[in-house]
Amino acid sequence: NAGVTQTPKFQVLKTGQSMTLQCAQDMNHEYMSWYRQDPGMGLRLIHYSVGAGITDQGEVPNGYNVSRSTTEDFPLRLLSAAPSQTSVYFCASRRTGSHYGYTFGSGTRLTVV
Amino acid sequence: DAKTTQPPSMDCAEGRAANLPCNHSTISGNEYVYWYRQIHSQGPQYIIHGLKNNETNEMASLIITEDRKSSTLILPHATLRDTAVYYCIVLSQGGSEKLVFGKGMKLTVNP
């Protein structure tokens, strides 16, 4: 199993550009989430999904869109990048049920200039 | 979900047990205590979780007080690779999937 795979690992965007951060998991996990982590801070939830076709907003959803058309993939779209979106983005997934924790990807480091 | 309080940092000698405290005095009956750690810029790693009984797995042990207002994560034989930021999180099962990480506690394992 590859686990949770995030691409790209690094990205530089210009203000106003759009892009999609990719997240894929091969563990047949129902739950998937996107977090951002700013320097010296804990992770903050952007969006999450409890299954294909179902998404909901987290703590900091503005400026981001998600969709979940398959169990495996949960892409995060930046509509019009702003310097405030410079951050490290982590995707995570877990199995349904109370006995499981989240598996995190290795992150995408995004810089908006 | 209840909030948690952790000391900002702790040191531990290599090979010794590391006891990481967490206070969650407002925890409610259906809320679990989860522990994650993040090793230098990597994605967080799930360690263990529990409701009211003590739990043990291959990574660590979790001791929850009888009143459930605090807990301790125990790394029985800390190694240099255990140096990380440790997050104690309270989350209700069957409710939202919104992990709230906070600032966590930096554990430094010294040789």
Side-chain angles (χ1 to χ4, degrees), chain A:
Chain A
N1 286 350
V4 177
T5 302
Q6 292 186 237
T7 55
K9 293 192 181 303
F10 300 94
Q11 183 71 49
V12 178
L13 285 179
K14 293 183 178 179
T15 298
Q17 286 185 318
S18 63
M19 79 160 294
T20 299
L21 307 186
Q22 302 291 345
C23 176
Q25 51 91 9
D26 61 356
M27 299 171 284
N28 202 32
H29 287 176
E30 288 294 322
Y31 294 169
M32 296 187 75
S33 301
W34 275 103
Y35 291 83
R36 62 176 287 174
Q37 185 173 33
D38 300 320
M41 304 279 290
L43 284 75
R44 291 184 293 169
L45 181 66
I46 305 171
H47 286 285
Y48 66 100
S49 169
V50 298
I54 306 170
T55 65
D56 206 348
Q57 296 181 350
E59 180 185 357
V60 288
N62 292 340
Y64 307 94
N65 273 359
V66 291
S67 60
R68 186 94 181 272
S69 56
T70 67
T71 299
E72 296 77 18
D73 300 299
F74 191 41
L76 178 72
R77 282 181 287 277
L78 279 70
L79 308 174
S80 177
S84 61
Q85 294 178 304
T86 294
S87 190
V88 181
Y89 292 83
F90 291 101
C91 180
S93 72
R94 79 169 183 91
R95 290 176 64 176
T96 309
S98 63
H99 302 295
Y100 306 102
Y102 274 92
T103 299
F104 282 80
S106 58
T108 294
R109 189 173 298 273
L110 176 68
T111 302
V112 182
V113 297

Side-chain angles (χ1 to χ4, degrees), chain A residues 31 35 37 40-43 45 48 50 57 90 94 97-102 104-106 109, chain B residues 32 34 36 38 41-46 49 87 91 93-94 96-103:
Chain A
Y31 294 169
Y35 291 83
Q37 185 173 33
M41 304 279 290
L43 284 75
L45 181 66
Y48 66 100
V50 298
Q57 296 181 350
F90 291 101
R94 79 169 183 91
S98 63
H99 302 295
Y100 306 102
Y102 274 92
F104 282 80
S106 58
R109 189 173 298 273
Chain B
Y32 284 70
Y34 282 78
Y36 287 79
Q38 188 174 25
S41 300
Q42 297 179 20
Q45 178 187 26
Y46 164 77
H49 75 283
Y87 298 95
L91 187 67
Q93 284 298 332
S96 96
E97 289 292 311
K98 300 178 182 180
L99 294 177
V100 178
F101 275 82
K103 292 190 176 182

Side-chain angles (χ1 to χ4, degrees), chain B residues 82-97:
Chain B
D82 292 321
T83 293
V85 177
Y86 287 77
Y87 298 95
C88 171
I89 299 167
V90 169
L91 187 67
S92 59
Q93 284 298 332
S96 96
E97 289 292 311

Side-chain angles (χ1 to χ4, degrees), chain B residues 26-104:
Chain B
T26 60
I27 194 169
S28 60
N30 68 338
E31 289 181 321
Y32 284 70
V33 179
Y34 282 78
W35 283 84
Y36 287 79
R37 73 180 181 183
Q38 188 174 25
I39 298 172
H40 186 58
S41 300
Q42 297 179 20
Q45 178 187 26
Y46 164 77
I47 301 172
I48 198 168
H49 75 283
L51 182 62
K52 55 183 177 181
N53 298 320
N54 298 338
E55 302 287 345
T56 295
N57 62 21
E58 64 279 5
M59 290 183 66
S61 295
L62 175 60
I63 308 298
I64 302 174
T65 58
E66 191 169 347
D67 64 8
R68 302 209 322 122
K69 293 184 177 182
S70 65
S71 60
T72 301
L73 179 74
I74 300 174
L75 308 178
H77 305 287
T79 71
L80 299 180
R81 286 174 294 184
D82 292 321
T83 293
V85 177
Y86 287 77
Y87 298 95
C88 171
I89 299 167
V90 169
L91 187 67
S92 59
Q93 284 298 332
S96 96
E97 289 292 311
K98 300 178 182 180
L99 294 177
V100 178
F101 275 82
K103 292 190 176 182

